[in-house]
Amino acid sequence: MIREKVRFLGCGFNKAKYAGQMKYCIEHGLDFGIYKLGPRRIKKMVQRKFGIELEIEGKDLLAIAREAQEIVYN
């Protein structure tokens, strides 16, 4: 299942890294496209598209991605 989804991710180390992140996102119900951006780029994306300032201090990537996903899809 994962193997078919990661063909576009490149080769070698990056493919293994992104495949692991994709599996983590599937387990936690997150959008991989948002999760792979990272905290700072998620904050910038939400601010640019929706005009909402996300607070990322003291939060892990999982919490930030969940907040951003709620904003994007609602």
Side-chain angles (χ1 to χ4, degrees):
M1 179 175 135
I2 298 288
R3 193 172 289 174
E4 291 81 29
K5 294 182 180 180
V6 297
R7 290 178 194 252
F8 69 94
L9 295 177
C11 61
F13 176 75
N14 285 337
K15 190 176 223 178
K17 179 179 99 174
Y18 286 133
Q21 288 180 353
M22 184 177 286
K23 185 177 179 184
Y24 182 79
C25 287
I26 291 170
E27 290 172 359
H28 293 287
L30 297 172
D31 181 13
F32 179 66
I34 294 174
Y35 183 84
K36 74 177 183 177
L37 292 175
R40 290 188 200 131
R41 289 173 60 195
I42 289 173
K43 181 180 177 179
K44 285 182 184 179
M45 184 229 6
V46 169
Q47 186 176 10
R48 200 174 325 120
K49 286 186 177 181
F50 303 102
I52 298 172
E53 184 74 28
L54 276 181
E55 195 61 41
I56 62 172
E57 293 296 322
K59 295 181 184 174
D60 61 343
L61 182 56
L62 178 66
I64 295 168
R66 282 186 195 218
E67 285 183 28
Q69 188 170 329
E70 288 177 13
I71 293 169
V72 171
Y73 292 116
N74 288 333

